[in-house]
Amino acid sequence: MIRLGGNWLVRIRIALTVLGFPYCLCTSRIRPPISCSAAQVPAITVKSVSTSACSAFTMFSAPNVKARCLQYPGSEIQRVPVPDDKVDWKIDWHMYSPVSYTAPVVLNKPVWADPDIGSFSPRFNSLDGKVDRRSHEGEYRVENGIPINPHSRTGLTGRGLLGRWGPNHAADPIVTRWKRDSAGLRVFHPVSKMPVLQFVSIKRKDCLEWALPGGMVDPGELVSLTLQREFSEEALNSLDASPEETERIHERITALFGSQGLEVYKGYVDDPRNTDNSWMETVAVNFHDETGNSVSELPLQAGDDAGQVQWIDIDSALSLYASHSHFLEVVAKKRNAHCTQLLERLFLKYGLHKEADESLF
C-alpha cells in the first residue's frame, strides 16, 4: 500500500485545484492503449511509484483520453491504439495508419453535415458563409485540403459522428442553484463547511451518461441563443409545452440567460466522437439562480436528446460526459462552493492510503 506524507498530499491537492484539469498520477508518459466504452472512461490512471522514474508522483495532462477510446461510439469500429508517447503530432510515427470512418447518418447528407471533401471546397480557418470554421484555439493545420486535429492523434480519420470537417461548435449551459433544506436555508458540506451547489443535468439517450444540457450551435446563431435554446429544449421540454407553459418558461429563462453569465471554458473538448479531422469545441457558461426563485421553480422535464433530467449536487461523484466534470469543478471554485476533490476520488477508487486529516480535503 502506498503512503504519501502530508506535505505531498497538500502539494498534489493544490496543483489539482489550481490547474483544474483531469490529471494523471503515474511514473511515465506511456500507458497501455486505452480501452473503454463511451460510458466508462478512466479519468485518472495510477501506476506503482518508481522514484527513479519520476521522483515520486509526476502529474501531467493526458491529451485526448476519451478521444482515444478503442471502440468508436455508436459503432463496431475500433480505433488504432495511440499510446501517450505517440499522441503529439510532433512525434514522428511513420507506421501510423489510422482507421477511416464516417458514420452512415453523416454520409446520408443531413442538413447539419458537410459533404465529403472533394465535392465541395470549404474555407477552413474562416467564416464560411454562415458556417464558422474557425477554432476557438487559433489556426489549425490543413493538409491536402483536410483539417488536422489541433491537439493530437486519435487513431481514426474521417468525421465519425460529427457533421463538420474541422471544428464542430457547441454550447454548454451550466445552470446552478444553492442546495437548500426544508426551511429554505443553504446546505453546507459537513467536512469542507462550504455551501453545496446543484446543477441541472440530463442523461443522454445515446450513451446513457449524465451531461450538461448543451448542443450544437446552428449556422449563423449567436452562442447566447444556443445556450438558452438547448437548455429550454433538453431540460424543460419546451418543444412540447402548451402555449401557457411556453410563455412561463420563456419569461424565466430569458431573465436568467439575460443576466451576466460566467464563462467557464472556451475551446477544444476531449470528446469520444473526435477524429483526426473533426473535433468538438464548446463555450461553457454558468448561469446561477442565486435566490432560487428563477428557473429553480420551473418543473424539469426531459426533452429532445435527454432521457432524464434532474438537479444534482456538484458534490456528487457522477462520471459525466466529455469534459463536463472539469467545467463543474471550475464553477464550484469560482462560486466558492464545495466540490469533491479529484485526489480524494483517486484514493477512494484505487484504495491508496491517505492521512487521517480531513482538513486536507
Side-chain angles (χ1 to χ4, degrees):
M1 181 172 287
I2 301 170
R3 179 185 293 271
L4 296 178
N7 289 338
W8 274 107
L9 282 172
V10 173
R11 294 174 190 173
I12 294 174
R13 178 176 179 265
I14 291 174
L16 287 171
T17 302
V18 172
L19 292 171
F21 288 90
Y23 272 73
C24 295
L25 305 179
C26 52
T27 59
S28 73
R29 291 179 179 265
I30 302 176
R31 277 203 308 265
I34 299 170
S35 178
C36 51
S37 69
Q40 295 177 322
V41 180
I44 302 175
T45 301
V46 177
K47 293 184 178 181
S48 58
V49 173
S50 171
T51 55
S52 62
C54 62
S55 184
F57 284 122
T58 299
M59 288 181 288
F60 64 96
S61 61
N64 270 350
V65 174
K66 296 191 177 187
R68 285 185 286 152
C69 286
L70 287 182
Q71 184 167 340
Y72 191 83
S75 75
E76 297 182 356
I77 301 298
Q78 297 284 311
R79 297 178 188 267
V80 168
V82 180
D84 284 359
D85 63 334
K86 295 292 193 299
V87 169
D88 198 323
W89 291 107
K90 296 177 182 178
I91 304 299
D92 289 333
W93 189 8
H94 300 298
M95 300 297 291
Y96 182 56
S97 182
V99 175
S100 178
Y101 174 68
T102 298
V105 65
V106 178
L107 293 177
N108 285 337
K109 300 180 181 179
V111 294
W112 47 265
D114 289 332
D116 280 334
I117 295 291
S119 61
F120 83 130
S121 300
R123 297 171 55 199
F124 293 119
N125 287 303
S126 64
L127 188 60
D128 186 11
K130 289 187 176 182
V131 178
D132 193 351
R133 301 190 188 277
R134 296 169 295 185
S135 170
H136 293 314
E137 303 198 351
E139 189 166 323
Y140 49 88
R141 288 188 298 133
V142 178
E143 296 183 355
N144 300 318
I146 298 177
I148 304 299
N149 188 310
H151 272 238
S152 66
R153 299 180 173 99
T154 67
L156 188 143
T157 60
R159 283 175 287 164
L161 286 167
L162 299 179
R164 305 292 179 194
W165 294 96
N168 289 252
H169 294 292
D172 290 310
I174 307 171
V175 175
T176 56
R177 70 180 184 185
W178 296 114
K179 184 176 184 178
R180 299 180 184 273
D181 59 21
S182 58
L185 300 176
R186 289 195 297 174
V187 173
F188 290 78
H189 192 272
V191 175
S192 69
K193 310 303 181 184
M194 302 179 76
V196 176
L197 269 178
Q198 294 182 315
F199 72 103
V200 175
S201 181
I202 64 166
K203 192 170 187 179
R204 294 174 61 106
K205 292 180 180 178
D206 55 357
C207 62
L208 302 182
E209 283 191 288
W210 287 94
L212 298 172
M216 307 305 294
V217 179
D218 290 338
E221 184 179 41
L222 296 175
V223 171
S224 58
L225 293 179
T226 306
L227 291 164
Q228 181 173 330
R229 173 177 57 79
E230 287 295 333
F231 184 82
S232 299
E233 293 177 1
E234 294 197 2
L236 301 174
N237 196 22
S238 61
L239 294 177
D240 294 334
S242 67
E244 294 77 13
E245 291 173 329
T246 300
E247 183 177 351
R248 182 183 176 211
I249 290 172
H250 179 75
E251 180 181 348
R252 297 290 180 91
I253 289 296
T254 301
L256 181 66
F257 283 78
S259 63
Q260 184 64 42
L262 173 65
E263 185 174 292
V264 175
Y265 181 79
K266 184 177 183 178
Y268 180 93
V269 177
D270 180 18
D271 191 288
R273 296 168 293 181
N274 289 354
T275 75
D276 286 1
N277 310 124
S278 297
W279 59 90
M280 288 296 303
E281 297 192 10
T282 196
V283 177
V285 182
N286 174 220
F287 296 95
H288 182 58
D289 183 2
E290 178 67 27
T291 61
N293 59 8
S294 179
V295 293
S296 298
E297 297 182 350
L298 291 175
L300 298 180
Q301 184 177 353
D304 199 20
D305 296 327
Q308 300 177 43
V309 58
Q310 65 186 62
W311 288 97
I312 295 178
D313 294 355
I314 288 186
D315 178 52
S316 175
L318 280 176
S319 175
L320 299 178
Y321 184 78
S323 302
H324 295 183
S325 293
H326 165 58
F327 299 161
L328 291 169
E329 290 185 21
V330 174
V331 169
K333 285 184 286 185
K334 294 287 187 181
R335 300 285 180 190
N336 294 317
H338 172 79
C339 182
T340 302
Q341 297 296 328
L342 288 174
L343 184 61
E344 184 178 23
R345 295 202 297 271
L346 169 69
F347 280 106
L348 290 174
K349 183 173 181 179
Y350 292 98
L352 303 178
H353 177 83
K354 71 179 179 69
E355 300 296 327
D357 182 359
E358 290 187 326
S359 65
L360 291 175
F361 300 96

